[in-house]
Amino acid sequence: MNSNLTTVLRESAVLRRSFRREFASAVRGEGVYIWDSEGKRYLDFSGSAAVNFIGHGVPEISAAIAEQVAKLEFVHTSQFTTPIAEEYAEELLAFAGENFRGGCVYFTCGGSESIETALKLARQYQVEIGETKRFQIISRQQSYHGSTLGALSVSGNRKRREMYLPMVKEFAHVGIPYCYRCAFDCTDSCFNCGQQYAGEVEAAIAATDGQAAAFIFEPVSGATLGAVVPPPGYLERVAEICLVQGVLLIADEVMTGMGRTGRNFAVDHFAVNHLAVDRGKVAPDILVAAKGLSSGYAPLGAVIVNKKIVDTIASGSGAFLHGFTYNAHPISLAAGRAVLKYMQAKDLIAAADSQRDGTAAPKLRRYLDGILDLPVVGDVRGIGLLLGVEFVADKKSKKPFAPEKNFAARVGQAAAKRGLMVYPMQGSVDGISGDHLLIAPPAVITAEQIAWAVVQLRASIEEAVKN
Ligand SMILES: Cc1ncc(COP(=O)(O)O)c(C=O)c1O
């Protein structure tokens, strides 16, 4: 081992994400900016990992956290409920809309814990209605639902799963519509191939021979594919299939929820009927939120559960057989509740609405579309304030860069040098190759800040091409 590497390996007592690179030490945040210990300023163009939606350093949130911790820091959910849990759950149900009227919220410390909770809830519901054979969870090949073993088993992100495969239970993974690289030579914006992909869900359910408990999906694909929006009619058809087959629908809105796409939740984009009257409405049985829920001010996740499931368990066994010491932690809930209040007061979801002129989302899209002239930028896509930029070695053939080139990571490094934070990912094409960036800034970003960021991004891409 070379001595430089040894130095990097041993310089920290923190088990970091990588021993092969340096990390700046972040000490302060305000608005769209983060400062490191050397005084360097970074524009947070990816909301860290699509986490921060309201901006950094909002005093209302720290005040709410301080007020809660001064009153009551913690109680265990086996012994007490708390006013903040009760009030905030009501508010979140109202925020989630009609589909969750009469439902309940289960609070956790983040996305993966929430996914585990959702999977177990789905299984328990099936058992309680006498469908004891149903335990399989169908998911999609290019997806990410978390890093715990249960969540990994239903994720399709090859790189993040491969090593742990012997430890996870494997269920069926179906294809995912990805219009930039559509497998079908379509001319109708993927409407028909969307239906074919939905047919894969139907076939996968049939192949389980009555053992399918739930189907889990990201309504807009997050980090794995880079903000891929499904074609019209696809999710509506999937929802219909699941309903008819008695398979629960779990919407993973860890990344897309809480306003990020310009609606309260991304499924709200698909509530419009594309098929026929009274059919095809995307109404998940369970919806999972995290990231933007607390905007990163405290570890928080929420599993929002519909009335059907809650009533079944309440009138059946009467107990959900699951729990974490820190679920419904009062400090995290204080953060989340204050974030919800703040984003509503500041009308931040409107700022993320691609269809509203003059707001951040259409401006961001317009500026990012401006880098499509670069020979290595193959696609700019997404919705609201969740956009993806896909890189290609050859624009005409859409050939990706060789994975060992680490092209997206190199763009990310060049950007960080310039004081711009983006979220680079690899694997969009087949789980290994395919480089893209996720762009997901806080909704308080201004037109000037977007313009500056895109100039830096262009220069960073050009630098990565040269090196
Ligand atoms: C769609 C999706 N689901 C689940 C998770 C896991 O969330 P967490 O990292 O908070 O455990 C993530 C994290 O990136 C995600 O993007």
Side-chain angles (χ1 to χ4, degrees), residues 319-389:
F320 179 34
L321 296 172
H322 175 73
F324 302 104
T325 297
Y326 286 146
N327 67 258
H329 196 291
I331 298 172
S332 294
L333 300 184
R337 191 175 185 211
V339 165
L340 178 61
K341 191 169 163 200
Y342 185 85
M343 62 193 246
Q344 288 178 324
K346 302 279 176 192
D347 211 10
L348 293 183
I349 299 177
D353 188 344
S354 306
Q355 282 151 10
R356 267 198 212 209
D357 282 343
T359 60
K363 283 180 197 149
L364 176 66
R365 181 56 189 258
R366 208 166 46 248
Y367 276 101
L368 276 182
D369 280 346
I371 59 169
L372 273 165
D373 65 318
L374 291 171
V376 295
V377 175
D379 194 28
V380 171
R381 56 183 174 243
I383 186 165
L385 289 173
L386 186 67
L387 298 187
V389 176

Side-chain angles (χ1 to χ4, degrees), residues 110-112 115 144-146 218 252 254-255 291:
S112 301
I115 295 295
Y144 181 64
H145 297 293
E218 296 163 83
D252 179 349
V254 166
M255 195 172 267
K291 294 188 186 262

Side-chain angles (χ1 to χ4, degrees), residues 14-35:
V14 176
L15 182 47
R16 297 178 180 175
R17 291 237 176 182
S18 171
F19 289 106
R20 303 281 156 98
R21 50 169 281 226
E22 305 276 356
F23 292 87
S25 180
V27 293
R28 190 168 83 79
E30 190 181 327
V32 295
Y33 295 112
I34 295 168
W35 283 264

